[in-house]
Amino acid sequence: MVLVTVREQGESSDSHPICGARANFGSRAVEEQFMTIDKIALVTGANRGLGRGAAIALATRGVRVLVTHRGDAAGAEKTVEQVQAVGGTAAVLRLDISDVSSFASFTSELSEQLERWGASRLDILVNNAGVGIFGPLEDVTIDDFDTVMGTNVRGTFFLIQSLVPLLTQGGRVINVSTSLTRHTSPATSVYSASKAAVEALSRTLAAELGPRGIRVNSIAPGPTATDFNGGAMRDDAEMRQVLAGQTALGRVGEPEEIGDAIATLASEGLRWVTAQRIEVSGGALL
């Protein structure tokens, strides 16, 4: 654990309101609270988009990263290259979170990779992988509904169940949600409902896993320029302009900004935060 250096002070403008002590906020000790050195993270769906952004952000903070993909091996290797470019270490594992029956064999492969790194435990689990199928009520099929719920809710839940035995005491679980659980948009009902369920299970699991010191939180990105949903937010300039006009900070987000938020939430600096939904949207649709 990294301790903040404090010194006794009398009354001052930056004294703690209770103890009257003033932290040396310019110290290296405080900076290191937001590093996560010698930790290992698993980021699902890290072959592109928000998952890649999270992997790189964690790597810049000293975390070794396990990159998973469903079938895009080339994308996963590109993420590894970018992690290495910032001085990090990464490895690739294949994982389809919609295939719950594969989780036992995946867990064995994960354990083998941890052993290759001289470790036996996972410190951080980022559940980023998911799917979005969008359409008005009358167009949504049973298969559409089952695909979204089966991947985003069922897959996320049972992956956590499978990996909790490997999570270290004081580990972190970060589930990626969406700002659409706060505001509404036409044709997003099934996707939004699946992510609302993820937020609910995050709160409940925070209570269940709290005795082990495991923190469980959800990150809710707003409109972000990735290739999700066909890359509309990244490639459609008109859509970006409209959403920028509805966002307090005047633009859509970038993947690295979501990644930085995830990495910060995983750090010791936010060690007292659990069971929370943290929106990272630049103030979208307030």
Side-chain angles (χ1 to χ4, degrees), residues 159-269:
L159 184 63
I160 295 171
Q161 183 190 72
S162 297
L163 298 186
V164 155
L166 286 179
L167 274 176
T168 190
Q169 179 84 9
R172 296 89 152 150
V173 178
I174 300 172
N175 297 319
V176 176
S177 180
T178 174
S179 64
L180 285 165
T181 60
R182 174 182 58 81
H183 60 80
T184 60
S185 181
T188 65
S189 57
V190 178
Y191 178 73
S192 301
S194 74
K195 292 301 188 176
V198 168
E199 291 179 7
L201 73 87
S202 298
R203 292 190 297 272
T204 303
L205 293 179
E208 284 192 37
L209 300 177
R212 284 183 54 193
I214 295 173
R215 300 191 285 110
V216 186
N217 293 287
S218 56
I219 285 277
T224 308
T226 71
D227 57 0
F228 186 71
N229 193 24
M233 209 67 61
R234 179 193 61 196
D235 302 331
D236 189 330
E238 183 177 352
M239 177 184 287
R240 288 168 64 98
Q241 184 176 4
V242 169
L243 287 167
Q246 298 173 335
T247 301
L249 294 182
R251 61 176 176 82
V252 301
E254 298 295 335
E256 56 267 25
E257 293 170 320
I258 311 304
D260 283 340
I262 290 171
T264 301
L265 185 55
S267 72
E268 282 298 300

Side-chain angles (χ1 to χ4, degrees), residues 77-109:
E77 289 297 340
K78 184 175 180 180
T79 299
V80 170
E81 291 173 5
Q82 294 187 12
V83 164
Q84 292 171 340
V86 298
T89 300
V92 174
L93 294 171
R94 191 178 187 281
L95 171 67
D96 181 355
I97 68 164
S98 68
D99 184 8
V100 172
S101 65
S102 71
F103 290 175
S105 60
F106 172 77
T107 301
S108 296
E109 293 172 10

